[in-house]
Amino acid sequence: MSFAEMDVDTIWMDGEYVDWEDAQIHVLTHGLHYGTGVFEGARCYDTEKGPAIFRWDDHVERLYESCKPYEMEIDHEPAEITEATKTLIAEQDLASCYIRPIVFYGYKSLGVSPGDCPTRTAIACWPWGTYLGEDALENGIKVKVSSWRKHASSQIPTNAKTTGLYVNSLLAGEEARRNGFREAIVLNKEGNVAEGPGENIFLVRDGELYTPGLSESILDGITRNTVITLAEEMGYEVHDNVSISRGELNTADELFFTGSAAEVTPIRQVDNVEIGDGSRGPVTEEIQQRFFDVVNRRTDDHEEWFDYVDA
């Protein structure tokens, strides 16, 4: 669904609410030319208590942390960012939605050094369903190991959610889709598994979970952290600081992606190799069900993960 088809009309920019069509920047904006911006992607879920933003404090904290390598200073306190986001959701009657805060160097000069370019901040919210397709959560997806490698943290910070870095994700994802796959898996410079273009990855073997460690050039995903916590509470052994070789993907019992957009999405095929029996595996299904029970508030635990819009 395109934005033109959505019933949304307001964006918050630099402390002001502006009409959707008026949320514009200059063509010589620094962040447009050099990718000098950081962003977040969070979800708000429709619950019995009203719209609830999932792990919002963690997303806001990571937004501010992502600014540090680029010496950006957000001109707004976290409380103002939160208030603006809640207002956007409430005023546009969004029961559930995706939330995109972005911070970037704005328009003033165009050398590679941002110099005295202002730091701009904006927030948009809109309805967004299943990221990888309506059937993906139940049936799983086919993925391709990309020929494009993930950059190392010694080259560009991998723990910052930087706008410009997603050209790497675009290349990997589009290569996969051109070849008939739904999504990609990206290897790091050592040839080990890093992540998906916009997701972390988990491998299931003999009833235990494995996911690449932070030193494997991955983003420290908030949904990744959520799944680790939930899986351990369910009694699963989780190995969250490992290296996973490309070959281990082919012999996994199960694989799944996690992410704020992807949520918990099973992987049923890697390249031309069927994973398990070629469908959502039992461990993935159990963890996925537990995740959705929590985010849709069908259970009372982990209330600390939710920020209610109407509170």
Side-chain angles (χ1 to χ4, degrees):
M1 180 184 294
S2 69
F3 286 124
E5 300 173 276
M6 297 180 187
D7 189 19
V8 286
D9 56 21
T10 307
I11 288 177
W12 184 88
M13 292 189 73
D14 300 319
E16 298 182 359
Y17 298 94
V18 300
D19 289 341
W20 190 277
E21 293 79 7
D22 295 333
Q24 301 177 8
I25 60 172
H26 197 281
V27 70
L28 295 181
T29 293
H30 194 276
L32 178 62
H33 289 255
Y34 303 117
T36 48
V38 300
F39 71 98
E40 278 298 319
R43 279 193 184 266
C44 176
Y45 289 91
D46 185 10
T47 76
E48 289 185 355
K49 295 182 181 179
I53 309 174
F54 182 57
R55 300 200 65 167
W56 180 243
D57 289 345
D58 296 301
H59 281 286
V60 172
E61 180 181 0
R62 190 170 65 181
L63 181 70
Y64 280 80
E65 291 293 315
S66 291
C67 289
K68 291 181 178 179
Y70 308 106
E71 299 183 17
M72 289 182 184
E73 292 189 8
I74 300 176
D75 295 328
H76 310 275
E77 295 297 321
E80 186 180 357
I81 299 293
T82 298
E83 180 183 0
T85 302
K86 288 184 174 183
T87 299
L88 286 172
I89 295 169
E91 292 298 318
Q92 297 179 105
D93 294 321
L94 295 169
S96 63
C97 64
Y98 187 78
I99 306 165
R100 171 57 56 87
I102 184 169
V103 182
F104 57 94
Y105 279 123
Y107 167 73
K108 191 163 188 180
S109 60
L110 207 57
V112 173
S113 171
D116 53 359
C117 289
T119 299
R120 306 288 305 276
T121 306
I123 307 167
C125 305
W126 66 88
W128 200 356
T130 306
Y131 177 62
L132 292 171
E134 292 300 324
D135 63 332
L137 296 179
E138 182 176 350
N139 298 323
I141 59 172
K142 297 193 301 181
V143 304
K144 173 181 172 54
V145 177
S146 180
S147 64
W148 296 96
R149 295 290 178 96
K150 180 71 183 286
H151 55 271
S153 59
S154 60
Q155 298 168 311
I156 308 173
T158 55
N159 61 338
K161 199 169 175 69
T162 309
T163 58
L165 304 191
Y166 276 75
V167 295
N168 181 249
S169 298
L170 181 149
L171 290 167
E174 291 307 298
E175 177 188 52
R177 284 180 279 278
R178 282 196 303 271
N179 286 277
F181 296 86
R182 188 76 62 85
E183 188 61 297
I185 291 175
V186 183
L187 307 181
N188 60 24
K189 66 182 182 66
E190 289 80 20
N192 294 322
V193 175
E195 56 191 4
E199 309 90 3
N200 293 114
I201 188 169
F202 283 78
L203 179 151
V204 180
R205 184 169 55 229
D206 297 329
E208 298 184 3
L209 274 67
Y210 299 80
T211 190
L214 300 183
S215 62
E216 298 296 314
S217 299
I218 71 166
L219 182 70
D220 188 6
I222 291 168
T223 308
R224 172 185 181 271
N225 176 272
T226 300
V227 165
I228 291 170
T229 299
L230 296 178
E232 289 178 337
E233 291 174 352
M234 296 164 71
Y236 288 105
E237 184 76 21
V238 181
H239 308 273
D240 62 354
N241 191 29
V242 298
S243 296
I244 297 174
S245 70
R246 176 174 180 169
E248 288 179 275
L249 296 173
N250 298 333
T251 58
D253 297 332
E254 304 175 34
L255 295 170
F256 61 88
F257 278 140
T258 63
S260 294
E263 298 170 306
V264 179
T265 299
I267 297 170
R268 59 183 173 88
Q269 181 177 319
V270 176
D271 296 326
N272 295 317
V273 178
E274 195 173 81
I275 304 304
D277 63 2
S279 63
R280 176 178 58 184
V283 175
T284 302
E285 183 175 4
E286 187 177 13
I287 291 172
Q288 185 189 64
Q289 183 61 54
R290 173 76 173 120
F291 174 82
F292 283 114
D293 282 346
V294 170
V295 297
N296 291 299
R297 304 316 292 137
R298 293 190 288 262
T299 177
D300 293 331
D301 59 341
H302 290 297
E303 189 73 7
E304 73 279 5
W305 284 347
F306 294 88
D307 204 325
Y308 292 93
V309 172
D310 299 330

